[in-house]
Amino acid sequence: MDTVEIFNMYASYKGIKMYIDTHSYDTMLQGTCDCFTIPPSNLSEFFSLTAHKCIQDKCCNGNILAAEIDTFIQQHTTNQYIDEILFFHLGRRLNIKDTLTGNNLLELLTTVTPLSIFLREHNVAFSQRNGHLEIYENGILVSLENTYENGVCYLRSRLGYNIGREDFCFNGFAFKDLVYKNTYAHSLYHGPEFITQLSAFLKRPDIAQDYFANSTYYCFEYCAPLEFVLFDNADKLNQDEKVHYFLTQLINRLFEYFNTNPKYMFDHDNLVLRLLDNANMPIEYYCGREIITTEMLR
């Protein structure tokens, strides 16, 4: 029995968590090679052969690529007990003492939080009724019945009007390497999407303006149990399927680096993560945060 096998048996027995570092290309490459116990040259050879099979006239056949990656994973036994995943959440937070817990939208709006306090100071409050949230401005119920009105469909979706398709969840990304090139990262610079949409719908530009003036844009990093996290486009997977799906997305990411100059790469295919709609990201999973500046988004 070699050292890796002994360590993994010990890790499983002691409950030691293991994950692949997805901060950068270098850490993802090293983590993938360590996971499969192969040198980088083996991965480069696989990418070269795969590119020859799936790329024609500068276009990549996604079906062939997916099949090749799946075969690669099946042929290489992982030597790590992967049961955690890095979770990068982008958010502009108010400049007052705040918990580092990642709250879902329902919690943020209906309990005492910096956001609910800020909105009440602007005479906006929320109350839960029949499974969804209602908006009150100056104590008067705001109607969301006219779905043809700008912003109504978005607000109904986020406030739980669509039974069975609620969208209160806390979300993030699995890969940090290119996340600041993501169009979503750019769109959040001036404030949370919910705040900008609410401000526009109520015709209250002061809400969005005051929020921006009194907040800081961060990338929050968490390391969460894989079983606690859902993949946005594949949320019915069991634990083993999650590991396979994650490794597939990771290798696909590295393959893009192999075939593309990084300065021309964008973050259009980052793996989107989320929690259940009624779940919060516990503070014990918090690893740190980084201020996002305009220079970082260029």
Side-chain angles (χ1 to χ4, degrees):
M1 183 177 295
D2 62 23
T3 303
V4 170
E5 290 175 320
I6 293 172
F7 176 76
N8 281 302
M9 287 182 63
Y10 177 81
S12 179
Y13 174 71
K14 290 294 186 181
I16 298 174
K17 307 298 183 182
M18 298 186 71
Y19 62 90
I20 292 180
D21 187 338
T22 53
H23 281 89
S24 67
Y25 165 75
D26 289 334
T27 63
M28 289 189 293
L29 177 61
Q30 186 62 55
T32 302
C33 291
D34 290 344
C35 180
F36 292 108
T37 323
I38 58 173
S41 58
N42 283 27
L43 202 56
S44 293
E45 182 181 0
F46 165 70
F47 287 153
S48 180
L49 293 172
T50 299
H52 181 72
K53 293 178 182 179
C54 70
I55 296 179
Q56 296 181 356
D57 298 325
K58 297 183 179 182
C59 293
C60 180
N61 186 313
N63 292 330
I64 295 177
L65 175 60
E68 290 297 315
I69 292 176
D70 186 66
T71 299
F72 176 87
I73 294 174
Q74 305 243 3
Q75 291 177 345
H76 293 79
T77 303
T78 59
N79 68 5
Q80 292 186 357
Y81 181 62
I82 300 175
D83 62 355
E84 286 190 322
I85 188 169
L86 292 184
F87 189 115
F88 301 98
H89 170 77
L90 307 178
R92 179 171 280 279
R93 296 284 181 91
L94 292 161
N95 296 328
I96 57 178
K97 186 176 181 180
D98 190 7
T99 175
L100 296 172
T101 297
N103 295 110
N104 64 66
L105 187 61
L106 180 64
E107 294 275 337
L108 286 173
L109 297 177
T110 60
T111 62
V112 179
T113 64
L115 178 60
S116 66
I117 293 171
F118 169 84
L119 289 171
R120 284 185 177 276
E121 290 173 347
H122 288 75
N123 300 310
V124 177
F126 294 82
S127 179
Q128 192 169 9
R129 179 175 179 271
N130 296 332
H132 65 265
L133 296 182
E134 295 181 330
I135 307 173
Y136 289 83
E137 185 180 19
N138 296 313
I140 300 173
L141 176 65
V142 177
S143 174
L144 293 178
E145 294 303 313
N146 183 6
T147 55
Y148 292 100
E149 190 175 358
N150 285 340
V152 168
C153 288
Y154 171 84
L155 290 171
R156 286 177 65 91
S157 173
R158 293 308 314 276
L159 297 178
Y161 280 75
N162 302 326
I163 305 301
R165 294 184 290 114
E166 293 83 358
D167 186 16
F168 296 126
C169 70
F170 183 81
N171 62 17
F173 296 98
F175 307 128
K176 189 172 185 281
D177 58 316
L178 298 170
V179 75
Y180 297 144
K181 288 188 174 184
N182 195 293
T183 55
Y184 185 66
H186 287 248
S187 71
L188 295 180
Y189 178 76
H190 288 97
E193 185 180 20
F194 180 79
I195 290 296
T196 55
Q197 291 276 355
L198 178 68
S199 178
F201 173 71
L202 295 177
K203 296 178 174 56
R204 293 280 308 279
D206 59 303
I207 294 177
Q209 291 167 0
D210 290 349
Y211 192 98
F212 177 78
N214 295 282
S215 62
T216 303
Y217 191 20
Y218 294 103
C219 175
F220 291 85
E221 178 185 336
Y222 299 89
C223 186
L226 191 57
E227 64 183 1
F228 185 62
V229 174
L230 300 176
F231 300 131
D232 196 46
N233 292 322
D235 58 3
K236 305 299 182 184
L237 306 180
N238 62 35
Q239 189 76 350
D240 289 339
E241 291 169 338
K242 282 184 177 182
V243 172
H244 188 279
Y245 186 81
F246 169 72
L247 290 173
T248 298
Q249 300 303 310
L250 178 61
I251 295 172
N252 190 81
R253 186 81 157 190
L254 293 173
F255 178 75
E256 186 177 1
Y257 273 102
F258 181 82
N259 288 285
T260 310
N261 187 323
K263 70 179 182 180
Y264 299 122
M265 290 175 63
F266 294 92
D267 198 41
H268 63 278
D269 60 349
N270 204 326
L271 180 55
V272 179
L273 309 175
R274 64 179 176 85
L275 305 184
L276 290 172
D277 284 290
N278 62 352
N280 297 316
M281 182 67 83
I283 192 170
E284 56 262 35
Y285 302 153
Y286 173 77
C287 298
R289 65 182 180 181
E290 176 180 57
I291 295 177
I292 304 174
T293 65
T294 52
E295 289 75 20
M296 295 163 71
L297 295 172
R298 290 174 183 168

